[in-house]
Amino acid sequence: MKNIYKKAVYLIALGLTLASCENYLDDAPKGSKVPVTLADYEAFLRDEYTNHRVDVTGAMHLLNDQFLGISTLANNRLFTANYMWDENADRIALKPSDETAYYSGYAGISTFNLIIENALTATKATETEQRVVWAEAKVLRAMNYFNLVNFYADTYTASTAATKLSVPLITSANINAPSKQVTIQELYNFILNDVNEALPYLPKVSQTALHPNLGAGYAFYSRVFLQMNNYTEALKYADLALAENNKLYDWVAYYNTNKAVIDVPNSYTTTASPMGFTYVENYTYRHGSANNSGGEFDIPVERAQRFEAGDARFTSRWKIRTVGAETYYRRTLTGFFNFGGITTVEVYLIKAECLARAGQIGDALNVLNTVRKTRILPASYQDIATTDKTIAVNAILRTKSNELINTLIPFADARRLNAEGIYKVSFTKTANGNTYTLSSDSHLWTMPFPQGAMNSPGNGTLTQNVAK
């Protein structure tokens, strides 16, 4: 764990040196600046590539949401274990000593801890301005902990959350800060408390796309309560979030504008991603596994088949391609992608699921169809209409997994649904004449901690949450 802080504490960003003010203000390294003013601390929130990276590579591989070719599978045994659902593989032994998902998560937490510790006493700011930066850091810290617990620990289940371990909880930026691997319930309580304390001070309008606003706070609260199977609270905060921002991007219009490029056979000329910093669906923007300007990920043929016919969002993003013995769907957007933040479409679909589970099927489908009308081409579009709860919930979950592909949420949802046991998620595929299955109760749904964290847990202890 100490390595996490070596990375985070000595990171120089925007001309500042991360350090605990208590220990280092009197001995600033020569040529560096110690943060003192609120502007100094707020600047850390803009360090997007360090503090807003949400890497979920292992989850994407397990779900087969990212295409891995023959050469990659031959050279990376950990990728192969997840992608081919190999339950005999020892992923703990294969886990590298330095893994982005873990270390970037805690590097961000160290930064947010620094802000939380010092923003309320920072100079050259009013108390109101101090509280805003403090609240934004609170939400971002909670988001990082949510990502980590839903990657490295079992999913939340009320009956076991108080006994099962989650991830190390660290609340100080000090390099020697103690860490404690708390229970899943303790960590969720901490996350909820962080957001609850932040909500009164979050601004309605963000300073930048990286700064969480009030809508982001409500949306994230809704996400957390859904993961806890608390549909009443999840619905309540979904409505509050949508009252702040209910815009949906018109992917049908995007396709129509760009179809002269998109529809050219065997051409992979790219078009610009609309899912960047100014995406109308953004509550807050964070990078995903591909954290800089460029393309997103190619996807397997089997994964492409789970999209609806006439999905303009899908058609605008991928096109089938064969190279040698491999056929896959090639990415056709370039630019920035909000794969680590929160968008309105997620909240619409949280609301739809909560309504369906409450038996309000018609209302749930109205919400679902509101989303689909901005995605499905008119020639293919039909309202989904049913009185059957199972059909309605499955339609909502299908749309959600497609909308949020390349994010943590389909993985987190699948774990939640499998633990609940009603709408279980499992997959089967055939490759090279062999059949592979990812069962709903597989241990592969929990990722192991990396070797580096296990070998150097810092000022605390760390126990693996999965056998292999």
Side-chain angles (χ1 to χ4, degrees):
M1 185 68 69
K2 187 177 289 186
N3 289 336
I4 298 171
Y5 292 101
K6 287 179 180 177
K7 292 183 178 185
V9 173
Y10 296 108
L11 172 70
I12 295 179
L14 303 174
L16 306 178
T17 301
L18 269 178
S20 169
C21 288
E22 179 182 353
N23 295 311
Y24 298 112
L25 274 177
D26 296 330
D27 189 22
K30 186 178 181 179
S32 62
K33 177 184 176 183
V34 172
V36 175
T37 69
L38 186 67
D40 293 337
Y41 289 105
E42 185 275 329
F44 290 121
L45 296 179
R46 301 169 186 265
D47 185 9
E48 58 189 271
Y49 298 118
T50 301
N51 298 323
H52 296 274
R53 176 87 182 270
V54 183
D55 189 282
V56 293
T57 298
M60 290 193 300
H61 291 167
L62 192 74
L63 294 176
N64 281 202
D65 281 352
Q66 178 185 348
F67 172 75
L68 297 181
I70 295 171
S71 61
T72 300
L73 292 173
N75 291 308
N76 193 309
R77 294 170 60 199
L78 178 61
F79 284 12
T80 303
N82 285 321
Y83 192 74
M84 301 307 295
W85 308 323
D86 183 359
E87 294 200 331
N88 294 317
D90 186 350
R91 295 180 303 160
I92 295 173
L94 298 176
K95 205 76 165 179
S97 60
D98 189 357
E99 188 197 34
T100 304
Y102 192 83
Y103 291 104
S104 66
Y106 277 105
I109 286 169
S110 183
T111 300
F112 305 137
N113 282 340
L114 182 75
I115 296 169
I116 293 164
E117 289 173 338
N118 295 286
L120 299 183
T121 57
T123 62
K124 297 184 180 180
T126 66
E127 182 180 352
T128 298
E129 291 168 336
Q130 292 171 339
R131 280 289 180 185
V132 168
V133 173
W134 175 85
E136 291 167 340
K138 280 262 185 177
V139 171
L140 290 168
R141 180 173 70 177
M143 290 178 69
N144 273 29
Y145 273 123
F146 179 88
N147 296 335
L148 289 165
V149 72
N150 280 286
F151 198 80
Y152 293 108
D154 287 349
T155 194
Y156 183 93
T157 303
S159 60
T160 61
T163 56
K164 286 189 175 182
L165 290 175
S166 63
V167 299
L169 177 62
I170 308 165
T171 58
S172 171
N174 190 306
I175 194 170
N176 294 312
S179 67
K180 180 184 179 183
Q181 188 179 7
V182 296
T183 67
I184 295 172
Q185 186 67 60
E186 288 174 315
L187 191 61
Y188 269 82
N189 290 345
F190 181 85
I191 290 168
L192 291 172
N193 184 67
D194 255 3
V195 182
N196 184 59
E197 291 183 348
L199 282 174
Y201 306 103
L202 292 171
K204 291 180 72 68
V205 179
S206 301
Q207 187 171 353
T208 76
L210 302 173
H211 294 68
N213 54 25
L214 182 59
Y218 289 145
F220 178 60
Y221 231 9
S222 181
R223 175 191 285 180
V224 176
F225 279 120
L226 181 73
Q227 200 65 27
M228 298 175 73
N229 301 305
N230 187 335
Y231 305 115
T232 300
E233 290 298 296
L235 177 59
K236 170 185 171 182
Y237 285 101
D239 281 332
L240 287 170
L242 292 171
E244 296 296 319
N245 179 11
N246 65 356
K247 295 177 182 176
L248 288 169
Y249 186 76
D250 190 343
W251 280 93
V252 173
Y254 180 90
Y255 167 77
N256 287 330
T257 299
N258 295 280
K259 65 181 178 180
V261 174
I262 294 169
D263 289 349
V264 176
N266 303 314
S267 171
Y268 301 92
T269 301
T270 59
T271 55
S273 166
M275 294 181 284
F277 302 105
T278 60
Y279 194 43
V280 297
E281 295 185 2
N282 287 346
Y283 288 113
T284 187
Y285 178 97
R286 307 190 83 189
H287 293 283
S289 298
N291 76 320
N292 55 7
S293 181
E296 53 181 335
F297 297 105
D298 303 331
I299 64 175
V301 171
E302 296 86 356
R303 181 63 185 87
Q305 291 170 345
R306 299 210 296 271
F307 283 84
E308 276 194 70
D311 189 329
R313 191 169 186 262
F314 167 77
T315 303
S316 299
R317 294 171 68 182
W318 294 283
K319 184 181 293 186
I320 196 165
R321 186 183 192 187
T322 298
V323 179
E326 296 182 312
T327 298
Y328 59 95
Y329 275 78
R330 171 73 177 177
R331 62 189 184 271
T332 57
L333 289 186
T334 55
F336 289 93
F337 302 84
N338 187 5
F339 290 151
I342 305 182
T343 57
T344 57
V345 70
E346 177 184 348
V347 179
Y348 270 101
L349 296 171
I350 289 175
K351 177 176 181 175
E353 181 182 344
C354 292
L355 288 170
R357 286 180 178 272
Q360 300 175 46
I361 307 301
D363 292 339
L365 294 179
N366 285 338
V367 175
L368 173 62
N369 289 325
T370 296
V371 171
R372 293 178 60 250
K373 287 172 184 174
T374 65
R375 270 57 176 173
I376 309 301
L377 296 171
S380 300
Y381 182 84
Q382 287 186 332
D383 277 347
I384 294 176
T386 183
T387 57
D388 186 288
K389 181 177 179 179
T390 298
I391 294 174
V393 171
N394 282 329
I396 293 163
L397 294 171
R398 176 190 181 187
T399 298
K400 191 178 180 188
S401 68
N402 289 334
E403 284 290 327
L404 301 177
I405 188 172
N406 291 335
T407 76
L408 176 69
I409 302 308
F411 177 73
D413 275 349
R415 288 155 41 93
R416 167 175 66 90
L417 296 165
N418 287 339
E420 179 195 33
I422 300 174
Y423 306 99
K424 292 183 179 181
V425 178
S426 61
F427 300 107
T428 299
K429 67 180 178 181
T430 301
N432 301 318
N434 297 315
T435 299
Y436 300 87
T437 298
L438 175 64
S439 66
S440 60
D441 60 355
S442 173
H443 70 272
L444 297 174
W445 289 106
T446 298
M447 299 293 165
F449 292 121
Q451 296 171 11
M454 294 299 301
N455 295 335
S456 300
N459 191 7
T461 60
L462 186 60
T463 301
Q464 278 287 5
N465 288 323
V466 66
K468 58 184 178 180

